[in-house]
Amino acid sequence: MRQIIVADSLEWLKNYNKTLPNVITGICDLDETNMKMDDYLVFFKNIATLIFKKLDKNGYAIFTQTDRKYNKEWIDKSAILTNIALNLGLKMVWHKIILNRGVNKTDLFR
């Protein structure tokens, strides 16, 4: 039986009392929020940490993230996620760069 839950995902996750078998998600980009860079990085790291801590010890998490540049400063989300995971005793199985070009560019390599 499938259960559909309509709720704020962060509040739901904070109150979820079980482990998550697996997770496939993406955390919003800075330009999708009203935050400043420093606040966004704290927000991003807190969400990632929460997800990793709720993850079953035999589970996996897949994050679909785009490294982005804001005001000439890169946000290397894959490095952030990798460091959080390693600090929590988790390991990376694979990392794939799907698109390595500027945002909003269309070319043969997409």
Side-chain angles (χ1 to χ4, degrees), residues 27-34 40 43-44 65-68 70 75 77:
I27 301 171
C28 61
D29 286 329
L30 173 62
D31 58 1
E32 297 173 310
T33 73
N34 295 331
Y40 173 76
F43 169 79
F44 186 93
Q65 298 300 153
T66 304
D67 295 341
R68 298 288 302 268
Y70 297 97
I75 299 178
K77 296 175 189 171

Side-chain angles (χ1 to χ4, degrees), residues 27-96:
I27 301 171
C28 61
D29 286 329
L30 173 62
D31 58 1
E32 297 173 310
T33 73
N34 295 331
M35 297 179 202
K36 294 180 181 178
M37 175 74 81
D38 291 342
D39 295 332
Y40 173 76
L41 290 173
V42 169
F43 169 79
F44 186 93
K45 291 173 185 178
N46 285 342
I47 293 171
T49 301
L50 179 61
I51 291 169
F52 285 137
K53 285 183 174 182
K54 295 279 185 168
L55 191 62
D56 182 85
K57 67 178 183 170
N58 295 315
Y60 60 85
I62 297 174
F63 288 86
T64 56
Q65 298 300 153
T66 304
D67 295 341
R68 298 288 302 268
K69 193 177 209 178
Y70 297 97
N71 299 324
K72 300 181 181 181
E73 185 177 350
W74 276 104
I75 299 178
D76 188 345
K77 296 175 189 171
S78 57
I80 294 169
L81 291 168
T82 300
N83 289 333
I84 293 169
L86 292 174
N87 287 335
L88 292 173
L90 304 172
K91 61 183 177 182
M92 180 183 292
V93 177
W94 54 264
H95 172 250
K96 175 71 175 157

